[in-house]
Amino acid sequence: MEIREPAAPYGKKKLTPAEYLEWERSVQQKHEYYQGEVFAMAGAGKRHNKIYSNLFGRLAALLQGNACQPYGSDLRIHIPENTLFTYPDISIICRDIVDEGDEEYVVEPSVIIEILSPSARGYDRGEKFRLYRDIPSLKEYILIDSESIAIEAFRINTATHWELEEYRSLKEALLIRTVELILPLADIYEGTKLQR
């Protein structure tokens, strides 16, 4: 998803998390929340949507019946440690969320996947990744370029440091270690007309 300039619900400059959640229920467009500010999220382009469909479809099929399940960009993630509420493109959560107390968000994804768009590329790689690193359960953060064949997979190692593995060819396959899946880049980018 792309992020635009801050929105000012109620005509206020800052909202509490409770005010944000109440306001978010009353609008159709999705918004991120961070330290009292609300940011409108724009729609995604055709390649972004094609990559999302390819990847989410394969994850849902391959993880059927597994304790870890993929969720799309309608599932709100909250990071209490830094106040962020956001909607990642894909989250993989390794526990049952249906019986959880709060219906409005979840707090413990194991894998987050963002599909990069031109306007949000810098945010997803920089500030957003810094905020995501405050999630204690997060083991992998995967960035998928929508303009070229390029995937960056950040994984936390045993020393709790983030390591990067890059994929740049349709002949390669993305490893999602947390769920022990290997996905060919050719499948992820199928139908995008991107080549390398």
Side-chain angles (χ1 to χ4, degrees), residues 18-145:
E19 288 173 327
Y20 157 74
L21 290 169
E22 179 186 341
W23 179 76
E24 187 78 338
R25 283 191 294 271
S26 70
V27 296
Q28 293 203 343
Q29 185 179 11
K30 293 186 280 193
H31 298 82
E32 271 195 353
Y33 172 92
Y34 179 61
Q35 295 186 345
E37 290 191 87
V38 176
F39 301 86
M41 301 181 77
K46 292 177 185 175
R47 278 196 183 126
H48 182 290
N49 278 295
K50 183 61 179 157
I51 291 166
Y52 171 85
S53 296
N54 291 343
L55 183 55
F56 189 83
R58 283 165 177 77
L59 288 172
L62 293 168
L63 292 174
Q64 187 171 4
N66 193 301
C68 297
Q69 289 294 303
Y71 296 89
S73 61
D74 284 334
L75 183 67
R76 184 187 298 119
I77 301 292
H78 177 48
I79 308 172
E81 291 81 0
N82 59 38
T83 77
L84 182 68
F85 285 89
T86 189
Y87 298 85
D89 288 316
I90 298 173
S91 304
I92 298 176
I93 299 171
C94 295
R95 60 186 172 69
D96 185 5
I97 67 168
V98 175
D99 292 329
E100 217 172 75
D102 198 308
E103 286 289 320
E104 302 210 46
Y105 57 84
V106 296
V107 295
E108 295 181 337
S110 296
V111 179
I112 291 178
I113 301 170
E114 295 284 11
I115 301 166
L116 299 176
S117 59
S119 66
R121 176 183 315 276
Y123 174 59
D124 286 343
R125 279 198 174 116
E127 180 68 6
K128 198 169 198 181
F129 185 28
R130 183 187 69 75
L131 295 170
Y132 280 158
R133 290 196 301 262
D134 285 340
I135 302 171
S137 62
L138 189 65
K139 304 293 182 230
E140 293 181 80
Y141 180 51
I142 299 169
L143 299 169
I144 300 176
D145 200 325

Side-chain angles (χ1 to χ4, degrees), residues 163-187:
E163 296 177 343
L164 168 64
E165 184 172 3
E166 296 182 272
Y167 303 86
R168 304 247 176 227
S169 167
L170 291 176
K171 296 177 183 176
E172 293 181 281
L174 168 65
L175 167 65
I176 304 179
R177 184 173 291 146
T178 303
V179 289
E180 298 179 352
L181 288 183
I182 297 174
L183 302 171
L185 268 67
D187 291 351

